[in-house]
Amino acid sequence: MPQLQIPRLGELVEMHRPARQPLPRAPGRPNVLSFIVSYPTFSETYMHEEIRALRHEVNFRIITYKKSTHPRRSSFEHQVIAYPDACVVYGPWGAVNQHFDTPDQQAFIHRVDAVIEEFRPDVLHAHYFGMVLLLRHLAQRHEIPFTVRTHSMDVLNEPPEKLEALSAAANSHWCRRVLAFPYSRRHLIRHGLDPSKIEPCWPVVDIERFRRHRRPNGLPAGDVMCAGPAIPKKAHNDFVDLAVMMQGCGRRFDLYADGPDLHVTTAHNRACGEPVNISYADPARMQTVYPRYEWLVYPSDPVRNKVGLPVSIAEAQAAGLGVAWQELPGRRDEQLHYLGGGGFLYRTLDELRDTISEPYPAEMRQAGFAAADRCDVQVHKALLSDVWHQVAAGLEPAMDGA
């Protein structure tokens, strides 16, 4: 992972107020101070869609501590307060100081203190499990409850000692809820997280946006797409190799990607004679991209095994595409559960080639619609908003200790 760049002291705070998407500040709503590592990175769809779905029910203030190098086209108002220390999410676990008592950490905390004193949040919220260290520290410091949404890379294949320490932090009485994927929930409980803290939740997707642009039924065999951040765990070179294997089939193979390792796939594609068209589409446009294709192919690196439940799969299912996803070691049941009968797992490129050479079964397409609906943020956003409203209304039981 890229290291955090340490700015000069005068550059520690930076405000971003996009004119088109200001966050409302209405009275009578809970004030929620949300922490995100590098908002508004284009690939972190969960964060953006969560804010968009809840922005009319709560007053958000967003703090991000790393300026995004690959931002989405349009974002909500946010404040960058740089964190010049080992990242609690991406940093090497042995380098993470859980006490927040170094001079750099204290400088960051004092700047957050100023935001808290001005905004007066009812609740703190964050994305990624590693953030519970920061939330616990701030919660104890200001006596404010917190919630956190975990993802995949922050739970999968993490050092046991890290998950145990994070679980202990989340067991704080200030923690009101941890959202986790169904299989992640079991994993975190095994590492000590109090089961009463965890609520199972599917990925966050604005399903209606993709449903409205659904690919018409009964079209002839179409083109093949792949999408996602250009990072090693996504194994985009496999998509290029698939296109090489299927040259002459009359289909286009298009990769929509950006990120730090895009040059690796671009070079591999060039060396193979450029069988894949590589471009980028902002997440806000993807609902018009999916219907051009028959298949979404989602490769993953089985050695790294850090791909969780990609939102692209649910988006493609909602849009009526066939889905073919790399099977990952020890994850078959979890992957099939997520697909919900609306897609295939493959182990080899030969198997993948044979699968997408056939028409996508109509019954699988229908199952994909139902599977995608489980991810509808409008359905499960209450898992957060209910807690936030209860905290703001003082409806929680009294708490003892710190």
Side-chain angles (χ1 to χ4, degrees):
M1 292 294 176
Q3 295 295 313
L4 290 175
Q5 293 184 352
I6 302 177
R8 296 187 296 272
L9 183 61
E11 298 174 337
L12 281 174
V13 181
E14 182 177 351
M15 293 295 296
H16 293 260
R17 296 188 176 92
R20 287 181 293 176
Q21 295 201 69
L23 288 168
R25 295 286 185 266
R29 300 175 182 169
N31 285 354
V32 178
L33 182 58
S34 185
F35 293 82
I36 304 172
V37 174
S38 60
Y39 182 79
T41 296
F42 81 92
S43 60
E44 295 184 333
T45 302
Y46 295 5
M47 292 76 158
H48 190 76
E49 294 302 338
E50 179 184 275
I51 297 164
R52 189 157 66 139
L54 287 160
R55 72 189 190 280
H56 297 304
E57 300 181 30
V58 303
N59 299 322
F60 274 114
R61 182 73 64 87
I62 303 166
I63 290 177
T64 182
Y65 64 59
K66 179 183 177 186
K67 190 171 182 178
S68 175
T69 56
H70 297 86
R72 62 177 57 236
R73 184 179 60 192
S74 182
S75 63
F76 293 109
E77 177 183 332
H78 56 284
Q79 180 175 359
V80 180
I81 304 180
Y83 183 71
D85 207 277
C87 176
V88 295
V89 175
Y90 295 108
W93 178 241
V96 173
N97 181 357
Q98 301 181 43
H99 304 291
F100 297 94
D101 56 5
T102 69
D104 284 337
Q105 288 177 318
Q106 284 292 296
F108 172 81
I109 294 296
H110 290 155
R111 286 167 174 81
V112 175
D113 286 345
V115 175
I116 290 175
E117 291 166 8
E118 184 270 324
F119 183 55
R120 297 187 177 275
D122 296 291
V123 65
L124 309 175
H125 178 61
H127 286 262
Y128 293 140
F129 198 34
M131 282 288 199
V132 296
L133 296 176
L134 173 62
L135 295 189
R136 180 184 61 177
H137 182 82
L138 292 171
Q140 292 173 344
R141 187 178 178 90
H142 294 277
E143 299 188 348
I144 302 172
F146 68 87
T147 58
V148 64
R149 184 189 293 276
T150 69
H151 292 241
S152 56
M153 47 65 60
D154 55 331
V155 175
L156 287 170
N157 288 343
E158 289 288 87
E161 61 273 20
K162 178 178 181 179
L163 292 179
E164 289 163 8
L166 299 182
S167 295
N171 285 339
S172 163
H173 74 279
W174 292 110
C175 178
R176 294 297 178 270
R177 179 161 289 175
V178 176
L179 298 186
F181 298 149
Y183 280 74
S184 294
R185 182 180 187 276
R186 303 174 191 178
H187 188 53
L188 293 176
I189 290 172
R190 287 196 296 269
H191 284 85
L193 186 54
D194 181 349
S196 68
K197 300 279 189 183
I198 319 174
E199 188 72 35
C201 185
W202 294 104
V204 178
V205 183
D206 179 8
I207 291 297
E208 181 58 31
R209 185 159 60 95
F210 300 94
R211 188 186 291 131
R212 290 196 305 266
H213 295 83
R214 186 165 286 172
R215 175 180 169 85
N217 198 11
L219 292 180
D223 297 330
V224 184
M225 67 170 287
C226 178
I231 52 180
K233 71 176 182 178
K234 302 296 184 178
H236 287 160
N237 281 6
D238 286 0
F239 187 68
V240 175
D241 295 340
L242 173 68
V244 171
M245 293 174 63
M246 298 188 68
Q247 282 182 322
C249 70
R251 297 182 177 186
R252 284 175 57 95
F253 287 78
D254 294 345
L255 169 63
Y256 295 89
D258 196 4
D261 289 295
L262 184 63
H263 66 284
V264 176
T265 302
T266 300
H268 183 59
N269 189 49
R270 188 182 305 116
C272 293
E274 299 192 330
V276 171
N277 306 292
I278 300 177
S279 62
Y280 171 75
D282 189 84
R285 290 185 49 238
M286 287 303 293
Q287 71 272 17
T288 63
V289 171
Y290 285 113
R292 305 173 195 169
Y293 301 91
E294 182 187 14
W295 287 94
L296 170 75
V297 168
Y298 208 99
S300 308
D301 184 341
V303 176
R304 287 182 171 85
N305 199 2
K306 294 282 281 183
V307 172
L309 306 182
V311 294
S312 297
I313 287 178
E315 291 173 351
Q317 288 177 322
L321 275 68
V323 173
W325 185 13
Q326 171 73 56
E327 182 176 331
L328 296 167
R331 305 271 306 284
R332 180 178 175 82
D333 289 346
E334 177 188 8
Q335 290 179 280
L336 290 174
H337 189 200
Y338 183 45
L339 288 174
F344 294 94
L345 295 180
Y346 68 89
R347 295 182 179 178
T348 66
L349 291 182
D350 287 336
E351 184 180 342
L352 173 59
R353 176 195 58 202
D354 294 343
T355 295
I356 68 173
S357 295
E358 298 293 329
Y360 192 55
E363 64 275 12
M364 194 167 275
R365 174 180 156 100
Q366 291 300 318
F369 295 153
D373 286 345
R374 299 173 305 177
C375 298
D376 190 348
V377 65
Q378 295 301 326
V379 173
H380 58 65
K381 66 181 182 180
L383 294 176
L384 286 173
S385 60
D386 284 356
V387 173
W388 296 345
H389 282 281
Q390 288 171 8
V391 170
L395 299 178
E396 294 190 308
M399 298 176 296
D400 297 321

